[in-house]
Amino acid sequence: MKYSRLTKEQFEELHEEFINFLATQQITAEEWSNLKENKPELAETELDVFSDLIWEGVLNKAEYLEHISAQHMYLFRLGEENMQAIVLNVKNDVDITTTEGYDWLRNNLMDENVEFLQANKDYSDDKNLDKFQMIEQGAVITKGDLFKYFDQLIN
């Protein structure tokens, strides 16, 4: 398995897609029940393959990632050749994950305690695995509103 198995909730959300996936494998509902009962390792493999297919689709479509912690904001635009990063560091005790801290940041973007950095990062041989690893570390897929805002602000 390349990525991680979908959660039970995710499988439930993707129930129809999973049925279609099984159909492409020429596995009927009856055969699926039989697999789960008599060949659980094969059923597990099918769950893993489906999970990887879903992750591939999601990662192929992802254009932006964000990872926000108490004093850092990492914003990424996922290009074809590399990732563009905008990093915002808050150098005081303000926690930007709170409403008050975020409001402080919005009102004090040009304060000396706010530092902006930019960089480009090349992908490894497996672009989607790079993206997935960032998600595993806490990044979330977004529409890129924060990246676009800060990109206009500093460029």
Side-chain angles (χ1 to χ4, degrees):
M1 160 164 248
K2 185 173 179 180
Y3 303 112
S4 66
R5 182 174 297 171
L6 299 174
T7 64
K8 183 179 183 215
E9 293 80 15
Q10 290 167 325
F11 272 109
E12 288 169 2
E13 281 289 316
L14 296 167
H15 179 73
E16 292 297 318
E17 290 85 351
F18 186 63
I19 289 170
N20 292 335
F21 167 77
L22 291 176
T24 64
Q25 306 293 314
Q26 299 176 339
I27 299 172
T28 66
E30 184 179 313
E31 290 169 328
W32 177 245
S33 294
N34 185 34
L35 269 181
K36 290 191 298 185
E37 185 75 28
N38 299 314
K39 294 184 181 175
E41 66 286 341
L42 192 52
E44 298 283 320
T45 300
E46 293 295 336
L47 294 172
D48 291 346
V49 169
F50 179 74
S51 294
D52 279 349
L53 284 172
I54 294 298
W55 273 113
E56 278 292 326
V58 167
L59 295 168
N60 282 332
K61 291 178 184 172
E63 295 181 43
Y64 295 92
L65 291 175
E66 294 176 3
H67 189 178
I68 301 172
S69 62
Q71 281 151 333
H72 307 284
M73 187 180 293
Y74 299 93
L75 309 170
F76 300 93
R77 180 182 328 188
L78 306 171
E80 281 301 311
E81 302 300 318
N82 61 24
M83 293 180 228
Q84 288 178 279
I86 296 174
V87 179
L88 186 144
N89 294 316
V90 177
K91 298 190 264 180
N92 58 20
D93 292 335
V94 174
D95 181 348
I96 60 174
T97 63
T98 67
T99 302
E100 299 80 20
Y102 190 74
D103 287 344
W104 178 89
L105 176 64
R106 284 188 15 220
N107 295 322
N108 294 281
L109 286 174
M110 297 306 158
D111 188 277
E112 65 184 24
N113 286 308
V114 179
E115 172 185 55
F116 290 96
L117 304 168
Q118 289 183 279
N120 287 339
K121 180 179 190 258
D122 289 332
Y123 295 112
S124 70
D125 292 338
D126 191 334
K127 177 172 31 176
N128 281 348
L129 189 56
D130 293 344
K131 296 174 192 177
F132 180 77
Q133 288 170 341
M134 292 172 67
I135 291 168
E136 288 281 285
Q137 295 168 4
V140 294
I141 298 170
T142 70
K143 293 179 181 174
D145 293 340
L146 282 173
F147 183 96
K148 293 171 194 170
Y149 174 78
F150 285 113
D151 189 42
Q152 284 185 337
L153 182 71
I154 60 179
N155 289 316

